[in-house]
């Protein structure tokens, strides 16, 4: 039987190689996201026969499992089925990417699938974020040009040892001045500070935007396969155009020949966030499903 144990921060190094097999491009199937949200979802993990399994307490307090990482085979799903039988637990899969529905249904043909648009990740063409070329992105180009006109003494720099303390101090001030009324958003803020406190262990890629030497924005991401996953993006809105400026600067710095896509995660059902993410014209909305077997 699978032996689940609580996911700890220090487990990220051990688990990272398993995620390299993921091809679905959803943010949930990244080591950074799994570890950042481990306490919120009460995440536990098990490894057996080279396959990584996660057990979580999903939205609504329901015990659920993510799709096996490392193998989409009848044997892998069979281990989950056996575990649920032996523990008298209903088999519920959560955050299942659309491209893995087929392998899951081959093992569980009677499964019930449920999705919600607020779970979908926004996926963008990486080069379009670098250039903001074309009519569709003219608005973003205009915002960037305005930022450059208003704040001539601006710089972008990657987060590294020399500016990590500055980035952490900015983030702490930002969180204090932008209180959230959502437990999810509050947890995201708390874990952003954790990432900065353990930056090397998390293995993230970060950047800060400065005006006259002061940080006005921060972004943190991780690379997996051909995709750059943006986990954190915080900018001071009083600096007009700071968000589009950060998006483009970050892409220019971190998009390499092997990066084809940028995932900017969900909109959480927030109308303002949805409008913002749509304004960058995603190439796809990556659906995620909850599955009851």
């Amino acid at each position: 039987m699978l032996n689940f144990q609580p996911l700890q921060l220090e487990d990220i190094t051990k688990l990272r190689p398993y995620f390299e097999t993921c091809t679905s491009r959803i943010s949930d199937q990244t080591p950074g996201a799994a570890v950042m949200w481990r306490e919120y979802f009460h995440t536990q993990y098990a490894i057996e026969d080279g396959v990584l399994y996660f057990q979580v307490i999903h939205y609504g307090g329901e015990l659920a499992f993510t799709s096996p990482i490392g193998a989409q085979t009848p044997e892998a799903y069979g281990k989950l089925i056996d575990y649920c039988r032996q523990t008298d637990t209903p088999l519920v899969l959560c955050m299942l990417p659309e491209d893995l529905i087929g392998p899951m249904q081959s093992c569980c043909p009677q499964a019930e699938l449920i999705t919600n648009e607020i779970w979908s990740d926004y996926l963008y063409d990486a080069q379009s974020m670098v250039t903001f070329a074309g009519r569709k992105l003219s608005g973003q180009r205009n915002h960037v040009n305005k930022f450059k006109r208003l704040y001539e003494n601006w710089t972008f720099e990657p987060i590294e040892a020399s500016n990590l303390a500055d980035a952490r101090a900015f983030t702490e001030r930002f969180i204090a001045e932008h209180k959230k009324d959502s437990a999810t958003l509050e947890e995201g803020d708390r874990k952003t500070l954790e990432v900065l406190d353990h930056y090397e262990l998390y293995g993230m890629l970060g950047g800060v935007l400065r005006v006259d030497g002061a940080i006005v924005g921060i972004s943190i991401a991780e690379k997996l396969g051909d995709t750059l996953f943006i986990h954190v993006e915080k900018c001071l809105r009083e600096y007009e155009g700071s968000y589009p400026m950060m998006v483009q600067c970050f892409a220019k710095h971190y998009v390499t020949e092997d990066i084809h896509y940028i995932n900017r995660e969900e909109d959480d059902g927030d109308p303002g966030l949805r409008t913002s993410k749509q304004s960058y014209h995603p190439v796809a909305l990556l659906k995620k499903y909850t599955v009851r077997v």
Side-chain angles (χ1 to χ4, degrees):
M1 186 171 71
L2 295 174
N3 180 27
F4 285 96
Q5 55 187 308
L7 179 61
Q8 306 291 344
L9 172 60
E10 56 270 19
D11 292 323
I12 191 169
T13 303
K14 176 172 65 175
L15 302 187
R16 184 173 284 117
Y18 292 91
F19 288 90
E20 294 174 359
T21 66
C22 296
T23 59
S24 299
R25 302 193 183 97
I26 66 168
S27 58
D28 308 87
Q29 289 192 338
T30 62
V35 173
M36 285 177 71
W37 292 96
R38 68 190 185 279
E39 293 175 344
Y40 187 84
F41 290 113
H42 304 278
T43 306
Q44 299 195 35
Y45 76 97
I47 298 173
E48 189 167 310
D49 297 330
V51 180
L52 173 62
Y53 302 85
F54 283 115
Q55 174 183 281
V56 299
I57 303 299
H58 199 40
Y59 297 112
E62 185 174 47
L63 182 68
F65 305 85
T66 63
S67 56
I69 296 176
Q72 296 295 320
T73 64
E75 290 78 15
Y77 283 103
K79 289 184 184 298
L80 282 178
I81 292 171
D82 289 344
Y83 176 85
C84 289
R85 284 174 175 161
Q86 294 177 50
T87 59
D88 195 23
T89 304
L91 177 53
V92 179
L93 299 172
C94 64
M95 297 176 282
L96 182 74
E98 194 164 22
D99 61 305
L100 295 186
I101 290 177
M104 180 277 301
Q105 287 182 323
S106 69
C107 308
C108 311
Q110 303 302 317
E112 173 193 10
L113 279 71
I114 302 167
T115 189
N116 188 319
E117 64 177 6
I118 71 172
W119 301 339
S120 299
D121 281 354
Y122 288 75
L123 191 72
Y124 303 86
D125 175 77
Q127 282 302 317
S128 71
M129 298 294 98
V130 171
T131 63
F132 284 161
R135 182 181 301 176
K136 287 183 177 180
L137 292 171
S138 61
Q140 308 304 337
R141 287 200 308 276
N142 291 339
H143 287 308
V144 167
N145 291 333
K146 185 173 184 179
F147 181 94
K148 291 178 178 179
R149 285 198 310 271
L150 291 174
Y151 317 107
E152 294 182 1
N153 190 23
W154 69 269
T155 58
F156 173 86
E157 57 193 43
I159 294 177
E160 47 196 24
S162 61
N163 59 13
L164 186 57
D166 287 349
R168 213 272 187 196
F170 167 81
T171 304
E172 194 168 23
R173 289 195 305 271
F174 186 98
I175 291 171
E177 295 169 4
H178 298 78
K179 293 295 185 182
K180 306 293 197 311
D181 58 358
S182 161
T184 306
L185 296 176
E186 286 181 355
E187 181 67 6
D189 284 344
R190 193 166 72 87
K191 282 302 187 286
T192 298
L193 295 175
E194 180 185 83
V195 169
L196 292 169
D197 288 337
H198 303 276
Y199 192 65
E200 186 175 351
L201 180 60
Y202 262 101
M204 295 287 193
L205 307 172
V208 293
L209 183 64
R210 294 182 186 264
V211 172
D212 295 324
I215 296 179
V216 301
I218 184 173
S219 188
I220 299 173
E222 69 180 318
K223 172 186 171 183
L224 189 65
D226 64 1
T227 305
L228 193 64
F229 295 85
I230 309 297
H231 293 311
V232 177
E233 198 174 71
K234 300 179 185 298
C235 293
L236 299 178
R237 292 189 180 277
E238 52 264 40
Y239 289 85
E240 296 184 52
S242 57
Y243 273 101
M245 187 68 178
M246 171 59 84
V247 170
Q248 187 177 59
C249 286
F250 199 89
K252 281 184 175 181
H253 189 85
Y254 284 115
V255 170
T256 53
E257 289 184 357
D258 58 335
I259 295 294
H260 300 155
Y261 299 99
I262 294 178
N263 182 319
R264 301 189 65 231
E265 301 190 341
E266 311 97 329
D267 60 35
D268 295 319
D270 180 271
L273 197 54
R274 177 172 300 171
T275 299
S276 173
K277 290 183 185 289
Q278 290 176 344
S279 72
Y280 291 90
H281 296 280
V283 294
L285 288 178
L286 304 180
K287 292 183 178 180
K288 306 170 197 175
Y289 291 81
T290 294
V291 181
R292 291 186 171 82
V293 179

